[in-house]
Amino acid sequence: MGLQSTIKALSDPIRREILQMLRPGRLSAGEISAVFPVSTAAISKHLTVLKEADLIRDKREGKFIYYELNTSVLEEVMLWLSGLKGEKND
């Protein structure tokens, strides 16, 4: 997906918190939704936005879906942002 969908996904504080939660490793949708004071449907929507931005990946195992970070997209965004900052030549 494009940079626009990535920026949109990162604009929401709940989605940013979900990404932080996934840093140590994969979590199920239930583990993620248990942390937030919003409905499971709302968390499902947040996970969909993150998936559409390719920031996370999911894998079904039995009746559970596990989510994990896709760090390659985050690295691309960081490189792009650091390019905007530019380098000072002394």
Side-chain angles (χ1 to χ4, degrees):
M1 293 307 259
L3 184 61
Q4 185 173 352
S5 64
T6 303
I7 299 296
K8 175 188 172 191
L10 294 172
S11 69
D12 186 274
I14 289 178
R15 291 192 286 266
R16 291 193 304 267
E17 181 63 27
I18 291 170
L19 293 174
Q20 286 291 331
M21 289 174 62
L22 293 172
R23 282 183 66 208
R26 71 184 195 153
L27 294 170
S28 71
E31 291 170 317
I32 294 168
S33 66
V35 173
F36 298 98
V38 297
S39 69
T40 55
I43 294 300
S44 178
K45 176 65 176 163
H46 287 299
L47 291 169
T48 297
V49 171
L50 290 168
K51 265 183 56 178
E52 288 173 352
D54 205 24
L55 291 168
I56 62 173
R57 295 184 177 136
D58 65 342
K59 183 178 182 182
R60 180 173 290 280
E61 291 183 15
K63 62 181 181 177
F64 297 101
I65 300 175
Y66 290 93
Y67 294 89
E68 63 185 2
L69 285 178
N70 179 6
T71 55
S72 62
V73 172
L74 292 170
E75 289 169 357
E76 289 176 27
V77 171
M78 294 300 294
L79 285 172
W80 182 77
L81 289 171
S82 67
L84 289 176
K85 181 180 176 185
E87 296 285 331
K88 291 184 180 182
N89 294 327
D90 291 336

